[in-house]
């Protein structure tokens, strides 16, 4: 069934039982990043509880009734089991908001699909010609009326982005954390054996000395962060201690690609492919030596590229207070430091530095780019891996 804007229909007429369904969302808008969310609202159209906003950084409601799971062929989406929702939830409202520059009039085309398993039961299509300068959309709503769940195809433009939507639905957005005041440094000794990559895109090339590079040690250190829970996004993005993890994507010259990280217990191997090993998982930031990736430089010729990243497995993405940095130490080479000196407090993943095999030399390039997760970062660097949800417990 093709739904028109404003059309309403009983879910039971689309889905057997009218209780369990999948929702697929796709929006074609060149150069724009769009976040999709599902708000669980009460009878007054207010956010019943912050835990019932399901989006990229809170992928499921506590009852399990709504989960951020993308159906095959779509860009984003949800799986919904209405039988699990508490009685306080009367509506599920699916929205889209632009992250960064752009307006909804620039959308080439988009749709929301209602699926019975993998079978498409209904589709609501729209395009940028339906909107103007709005930066958010209220797409569809599933609501309870007279004991039955119904679907409304809304397609309403909304001024403002995700934060404005949260406030519209009665939530509170935490203020952006302020960086601590800086103090003039006391004059430290000049370290002639250290290279600090200051600007994004800046590179340094470390030539091979002798038969090989020896051990390439990548060290991550950060300052533990413990912040009080304040505001809706403050709560949704975590609280308490921060668990900052070090990891990497690697590509060998034989085409082998994968990741080395604590998440999923993929710690790697130093003496065999991929010749990269994560030595420990520091969950508090108090380990004196931090976290280390060890790359076997005797096999550097077998390695094509390595993308060093950090991600916040637990805790709020407060990169400014974490004050993180990586240091590369290679025998008979100057130490190379890359600091996370620019910040995105709504992104838990940071691609820090790219190591490339440049005719035997190690080319180190500062990246410090923030992403919503592994998949977004993978796509940005065209790694082409398949990702599934993982755990360290």
């Amino acid at each position: 069934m093709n739904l028109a804007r404003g059309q309403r229909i009983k879910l039971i007429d689309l889905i057997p039982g009218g209780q369990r369904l999948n929702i697929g969302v796709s929006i074609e808008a060149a150069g724009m990043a769009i976040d999709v969310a599902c708000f669980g609202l009460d009878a007054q159209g207010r956010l019943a509880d912050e835990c019932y906003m399901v989006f990229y950084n809170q992928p499921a409601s506590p009852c399990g009734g709504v989960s951020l799971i993308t159906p095959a062929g779509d860009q984003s989406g949800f799986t919904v089991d209405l039988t699990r929702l508490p009685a306080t939830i009367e509506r599920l409202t699916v929205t889209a908001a632009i992250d960064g520059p752009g307006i909804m009039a620039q959308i080439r085309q988009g749709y929301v699909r209602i699926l019975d398993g993998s079978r498409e039961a209904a589709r609501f299509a729209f395009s940028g010609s339906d909107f103007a300068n709005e930066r958010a959309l209220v797409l569809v709503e599933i609501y309870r009326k007279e004991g039955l769940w119904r679907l409304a195809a809304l397609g309403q433009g909304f001024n403002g982005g995700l934060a404005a939507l949260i406030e519209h639905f009665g939530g509170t957005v935490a203020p952006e954390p302020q960086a601590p005041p800086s103090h003039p440094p006391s004059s430290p000794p000049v370290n002639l054996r250290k290279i600090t990559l200051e600007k994004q895109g800046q590179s340094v090339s470390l030539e091979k000395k002798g038969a090989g590079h020896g051990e390439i040690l990548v060290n991550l250190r950060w300052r533990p962060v413990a912040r009080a829970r304040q505001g809706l996004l403050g709560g949704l993005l975590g609280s308490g201690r921060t668990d900052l993890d070090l990891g990497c994507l690697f590509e060998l010259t034989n085409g082998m690609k994968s990741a080395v990280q604590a998440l999923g217990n993929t710690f790697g191997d130093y003496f065999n492919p991929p010749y990269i090993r994560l030595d420990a998982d520091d969950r508090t930031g108090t380990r004196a030596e931090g976290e280390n990736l060890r790359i076997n430089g005797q096999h550097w010729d077998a390695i094509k590229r390595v993308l060093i990243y950090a991600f916040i497995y637990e805790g709020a993405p407060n990169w400014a207070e974490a004050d993180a940095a990586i240091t590369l130490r290679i025998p008979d080479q100057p130490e190379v430091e890359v600091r996370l000196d620019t910040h995105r407090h709504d992104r838990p993943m940071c691609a820090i530095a790219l190591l490339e095999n440049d005719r035997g030399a190690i080319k180190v390039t500062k990246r410090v780019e923030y992403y919503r997760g592994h998949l977004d970062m993978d796509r940005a660097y065209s790694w082409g891996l398949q990702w599934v949800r993982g755990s360290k417990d």
Side-chain angles (χ1 to χ4, degrees):
M1 177 181 293
N2 291 317
L3 301 176
R5 180 185 291 187
Q7 186 172 350
R8 298 172 184 268
I9 188 171
K10 296 175 183 177
L11 269 182
I12 200 168
D13 292 338
L14 296 175
I15 305 290
Q19 300 284 313
R20 296 178 177 86
L21 63 145
N22 296 321
I23 300 174
V25 182
S26 287
I27 301 175
E28 293 183 24
M32 292 198 304
I34 298 180
D35 294 327
V36 175
C38 180
F39 292 84
L41 308 177
D42 62 19
Q44 287 71 47
R46 311 291 280 177
L47 192 62
D49 186 287
E50 66 178 45
C51 295
Y52 282 88
M53 175 186 169
V54 177
F55 71 132
Y56 63 84
N57 215 40
Q58 185 163 271
S61 62
C63 65
V66 183
S67 298
L68 184 66
I69 297 177
T70 303
D74 299 315
Q75 295 175 349
S76 187
F78 306 91
T79 183
V80 177
D81 185 349
L82 298 170
T83 65
R84 294 190 177 191
L85 293 179
T88 54
I89 302 296
E90 294 284 339
R91 302 182 189 181
L92 296 178
T93 302
V94 178
T95 68
I98 296 173
D99 177 22
I103 56 175
M104 289 302 178
Q106 296 172 255
I107 293 175
R108 185 176 306 140
Q109 60 183 358
Y111 64 78
V112 180
R113 298 196 300 157
I114 305 301
L115 303 164
D116 174 20
S118 60
R119 179 186 69 86
E120 182 174 322
R123 175 182 292 239
F124 169 51
F126 53 89
S127 70
S129 62
D130 300 320
F131 311 108
N133 296 324
E134 300 95 338
R135 290 180 44 79
L137 300 176
V138 179
L139 297 172
V140 299
E141 187 169 74
I142 297 171
Y143 63 100
R144 186 161 26 199
K145 182 180 180 182
E146 299 174 348
L148 291 177
W149 287 97
R150 303 162 190 257
L151 172 71
L154 300 179
Q156 297 173 352
F158 191 91
N159 292 324
L162 184 59
L165 280 169
I166 292 170
E167 292 176 346
H168 172 73
F169 290 128
T172 302
V173 180
E176 186 76 8
Q178 299 298 312
S182 59
H183 301 285
S186 57
S187 300
V190 177
N191 185 354
L192 297 178
R193 297 287 297 169
K194 182 175 180 179
I195 297 172
T196 300
L197 299 181
E198 302 282 359
K199 298 180 179 179
Q200 188 181 65
Q202 184 179 359
S203 299
V204 63
S205 189
L206 306 174
E207 300 293 334
K208 185 187 297 186
K209 295 185 178 181
H213 287 286
E215 181 182 80
I216 305 165
L217 178 68
V218 182
N219 172 255
L220 170 70
R221 294 192 184 186
W222 76 96
R223 181 170 56 201
V225 178
R227 293 185 62 84
R229 193 180 177 96
Q230 57 173 309
L232 178 57
L233 282 182
L236 291 175
L237 297 178
S239 62
R241 66 186 176 89
T242 296
D243 181 7
L244 187 61
D245 280 1
L246 176 67
C248 73
L249 300 179
F250 66 81
E251 181 179 3
L252 304 187
T253 54
N254 65 5
M256 177 182 176
K257 298 179 184 179
S258 192
V260 173
Q261 59 179 24
L263 186 62
N265 295 314
T266 53
F267 283 84
D269 193 313
Y270 185 80
F271 295 102
N272 299 289
Y275 308 112
I276 305 170
R277 173 75 182 174
L278 178 66
D279 65 356
D281 177 22
D282 179 9
R283 294 202 172 191
T284 63
T286 57
R287 191 169 180 257
E289 60 271 35
E291 290 190 9
N292 297 297
L293 276 170
R294 301 179 186 274
I295 303 174
N296 191 336
Q298 298 300 324
H299 293 277
W300 181 246
D301 289 343
I303 298 173
K304 181 178 180 180
R305 57 176 180 157
V306 180
L307 180 64
I308 307 297
Y309 57 79
F311 64 98
I312 296 179
Y313 178 76
E314 185 176 62
N318 192 335
W319 293 99
E321 289 197 10
D323 192 27
I326 65 163
T327 304
L328 276 73
R329 300 186 180 97
I330 305 171
D332 301 320
Q333 298 280 7
E335 192 174 278
V336 179
E337 181 183 70
V338 178
R339 303 197 65 81
L340 278 66
D341 48 10
T342 60
H343 311 109
R344 279 288 303 267
H345 296 305
D346 60 343
R347 294 288 184 264
M349 170 77 68
C350 181
I352 304 174
L354 181 64
L355 279 58
E356 298 172 281
N357 188 331
D358 183 12
R359 291 171 292 184
I362 303 172
K363 181 182 178 182
V364 184
T365 303
K366 178 175 180 175
R367 304 310 309 170
V368 189
E369 298 165 332
Y370 293 88
Y371 299 95
R372 287 174 288 190
H374 291 73
L375 180 59
D376 282 356
M377 183 179 67
D378 180 300
R379 288 173 174 169
Y381 284 88
S382 303
W383 231 270
L385 301 180
Q386 299 295 317
W387 295 93
V388 296
R389 193 180 306 278
S391 172
K392 299 195 292 184
D393 300 316

